Amino acid sequence: MTYLENIEAIIFDLDGTLVDSMWIWKQIDIDFLEKRGIVLPEDLQKDIEGMSFTETAQYFMDRFQLNEPMEAIKDEWNAMAKDFYANRIPLKHDVKKIINHALKEGIKLGIGTSNSRELLMTVLEAHQMVSHFDAMRTSCEVKVGKPSPDIFLKVAEDLDVLPSKCLVFEDTYAGVQAARNAGMRVIAIYDEISAPYHSEIAEAADHFIFGFSEIADDRS
């Protein structure tokens, strides 16, 4: 796989990149706000892109004037999403070929996600993939979420790999920017939720793919 030349680690984003899960979050936001008599604003998804679970909860508290504990909001989101992550969310097509190749070649694997650790572990356990990854971090474990480089730099530190030797897979503009800001190479993968920003994402990344099949069979 030519894109792995001079690479010692691959870091995956989770939602929309490693797993096909972005589709559930808009509905969760609709249902969460509807319970509070609030209609989902059209700009919400773009505004919260890249935020950590904690930053998103704070955003909701501020924007919608929610007089609720932050941890209660996060617990509600986890509860609403858990069945999806345990039983209904698939891996992105052909991503396992990339992972298996990396494992065979001794390339370290990490995850840097804006999601909660609970949902991260739930979906990895569902696909029996926890042991595949050498480091896993959520944006709640660093100072600032994406597009800040903090999350990816922390994963690289855990892996003991220089940022310049890391390749990131991401699906959002904020995620691609985070990888670039970390001094890492980044391949952007198409996800339907990010489709309106396809051109900006493709321009910001080193390479853009519509699916892992485009590179999974590259043996040159």
Side-chain angles (χ1 to χ4, degrees), residues 37-192:
I38 302 168
V39 175
L40 181 80
E42 289 186 6
D43 63 351
L44 180 67
Q45 307 302 309
K46 183 61 177 174
D47 279 1
I48 63 176
E49 181 182 286
M51 288 185 182
S52 71
F53 224 56
T54 299
E55 289 171 330
T56 304
Q58 186 64 58
Y59 176 94
F60 269 65
M61 292 166 68
D62 294 341
R63 178 165 183 176
F64 304 113
Q65 300 180 339
L66 303 181
N67 187 24
E68 303 173 46
M70 177 183 288
E71 291 305 314
I73 293 173
K74 292 161 65 176
D75 287 347
E76 185 171 342
W77 286 338
N78 275 323
M80 294 172 76
K82 188 152 189 179
D83 177 65
F84 284 96
Y85 279 76
N87 301 301
R88 300 174 60 183
I89 287 177
L91 295 173
K92 279 291 187 89
H93 185 64
D94 277 339
V95 71
K96 264 203 150 178
K97 290 184 179 180
I98 307 297
I99 291 170
N100 290 338
H101 180 80
L103 293 171
K104 179 181 176 183
E105 296 298 318
I107 296 169
K108 295 179 180 180
L109 293 171
I111 293 175
T113 177
S114 300
N115 208 332
S116 71
R117 180 160 287 273
E118 178 179 347
L119 295 178
L120 165 64
M121 299 309 295
T122 295
V123 76
L124 291 182
E125 287 166 2
H127 292 286
Q128 301 180 326
M129 294 183 67
V130 175
S131 64
H132 291 30
F133 295 93
D134 303 290
M136 294 174 282
R137 290 285 182 172
T138 76
S139 292
C140 290
E141 298 170 45
V142 295
K143 188 174 181 179
V144 187
K146 304 169 186 177
S148 164
D150 297 29
I151 180 69
F152 292 132
L153 290 174
K154 187 62 178 175
V155 175
E157 179 185 332
D158 292 344
L159 295 171
D160 194 25
V161 175
L162 292 172
S164 61
K165 297 293 185 179
C166 295
L167 173 68
V168 173
F169 283 103
E170 261 285 0
D171 66 295
T172 67
Y173 183 74
V176 168
Q177 287 294 102
R180 300 287 281 182
N181 290 336
M184 300 177 181
R185 280 176 271 178
V186 56
I187 295 178
I189 183 166
Y190 175 86
D191 188 79
E192 186 175 351

Side-chain angles (χ1 to χ4, degrees), residues 184-217:
M184 300 177 181
R185 280 176 271 178
V186 56
I187 295 178
I189 183 166
Y190 175 86
D191 188 79
E192 186 175 351
I193 296 298
S194 301
Y197 317 106
H198 161 248
S199 59
E200 295 97 320
I201 294 169
E203 184 175 348
D206 292 296
H207 188 53
F208 183 89
I209 56 175
F210 282 92
F212 286 105
S213 59
E214 292 181 30
I215 55 177
D217 296 321

